[in-house]
Amino acid sequence: QRASSVMNEMVRAKDELAQNQGDDQGTVVAGMSIMPHVGMLPYALPTFSARYPQVRLQLIEGLFPDLEMQLRNGSIDFYLGAAPRVAPAPGLVTEHLFENTRAVVARNGHPLAKVRNLKGLVDAQWATTLIDYNAEDDLHSLFARHKLPQPDIRLQARSALSIMVALAHSDLLALLPVQWGEFPLTRDSLTVIPVKESLPAPPIVLIQRPDLPLTPAAEFFCDVMRRHAPKVRAAKK
């Protein structure tokens, strides 16, 4: 682990020297949850690619608990996504970007598409994504808070692709970040069921090592992702 950390810092130092001298080479490695992929990356990627066309961008889909070790040893530059339930141990710094909400998402033409409250969804079957290691807690808590029977969870997905395929080709429902309603790749196949209840989501945060400065390219990618956070907030209104 120590050797891996040293090697990652050496690679980052080499990239930083080259980029500061105008040689825009190197790699940026970002760990991101589903929400930044669907709600921020489509806007930020063209700007980053125009500024650093030669830099390789490596994106790892996941949540903080799964990516923490790679973040600590320097193989990931930063994590951007859903805040973990428990604050990170010392050695990492967390920047709160914005609050977020969820929506009930289903396939177009779903038989429950006209339902407008959670009570009307008690007989539905659900898919969940991983918010933390306790994957089903949020959905169970939501139904319990409204004094409804526990939801029938039939599928658990670890990736955006898995959840897209599962929802588009079944009658499963899922609680997903509200930005899925405007995501171009799913707009024609998935729809939001606008229930009246509030559906809170974890805040979106940026986590990185304060003792390991980002390369110019990684810092620029962070900045363009932050720059599009106000658009994410506006999409919820």
Side-chain angles (χ1 to χ4, degrees):
Q1 183 176 344
R2 293 178 188 274
S4 177
S5 182
V6 170
M7 290 299 296
N8 288 326
E9 290 191 36
M10 290 176 63
V11 170
R12 186 178 279 101
K14 179 182 177 182
D15 288 351
E16 182 172 354
L17 284 172
Q19 291 165 17
N20 282 332
Q21 294 172 359
D23 183 7
D24 292 339
Q25 304 290 327
T27 302
V28 174
V29 185
M32 303 195 303
S33 69
I34 291 178
M35 184 272 139
H37 276 92
V38 303
M40 302 168 74
L41 185 62
Y43 308 104
L45 189 56
T47 303
F48 177 80
S49 300
R51 173 61 183 84
Y52 287 101
Q54 302 302 316
V55 171
R56 176 180 298 176
L57 187 59
Q58 182 179 346
L59 304 178
I60 302 175
E61 182 183 331
L63 290 144
F64 176 77
D66 299 314
L67 304 177
E68 180 177 7
M69 185 57 66
Q70 297 172 72
L71 188 60
R72 290 186 182 277
N73 68 24
S75 55
I76 290 179
D77 291 303
F78 61 86
Y79 166 78
L80 175 61
R85 296 176 189 269
V86 179
L92 298 173
V93 61
T94 300
E95 176 187 347
H96 179 279
L97 296 184
F98 55 90
E99 298 293 327
N100 204 28
T101 60
R102 293 191 181 102
V104 178
V105 180
R107 66 172 176 84
N108 282 339
H110 195 285
L112 298 175
K114 295 183 179 180
V115 170
R116 293 298 178 262
N117 54 55
L118 287 177
K119 186 177 180 180
L121 303 177
V122 294
D123 293 326
Q125 296 177 347
W126 294 80
T128 64
T129 57
L130 293 181
I131 294 301
D132 206 323
Y133 291 123
N134 301 316
E136 302 175 359
D137 281 2
D138 283 356
L139 189 58
H140 284 160
S141 299
L142 175 66
F143 274 64
R145 190 160 60 247
H146 293 282
K147 298 180 172 56
L148 297 172
Q150 289 294 290
D152 181 4
I153 298 174
R154 297 295 183 95
L155 182 144
Q156 189 177 71
R158 297 188 65 93
S159 74
L161 178 59
S162 295
I163 202 74
M164 283 191 289
V165 172
L167 294 182
H169 297 279
S170 74
D171 282 339
L172 293 171
L173 305 180
L175 277 183
L176 297 173
V178 69
Q179 292 77 23
W180 277 76
E182 297 299 323
F183 187 43
L185 294 181
T186 58
R187 192 180 297 153
D188 294 334
S189 58
L190 302 181
T191 188
V192 169
I193 300 177
V195 298
K196 66 180 182 180
E197 291 85 357
S198 174
L199 306 175
I204 301 301
V205 298
L206 175 69
I207 303 177
Q208 57 185 343
R209 279 179 54 179
D211 62 329
L212 192 61
L214 297 177
T215 64
E219 187 65 56
F220 184 79
F221 185 58
C222 269
D223 286 343
V224 294
M225 292 293 279
R226 285 191 193 96
R227 193 181 307 166
H228 292 288
K231 291 187 178 181
V232 171
R233 283 195 290 267
K236 297 190 299 179
K237 297 179 180 178

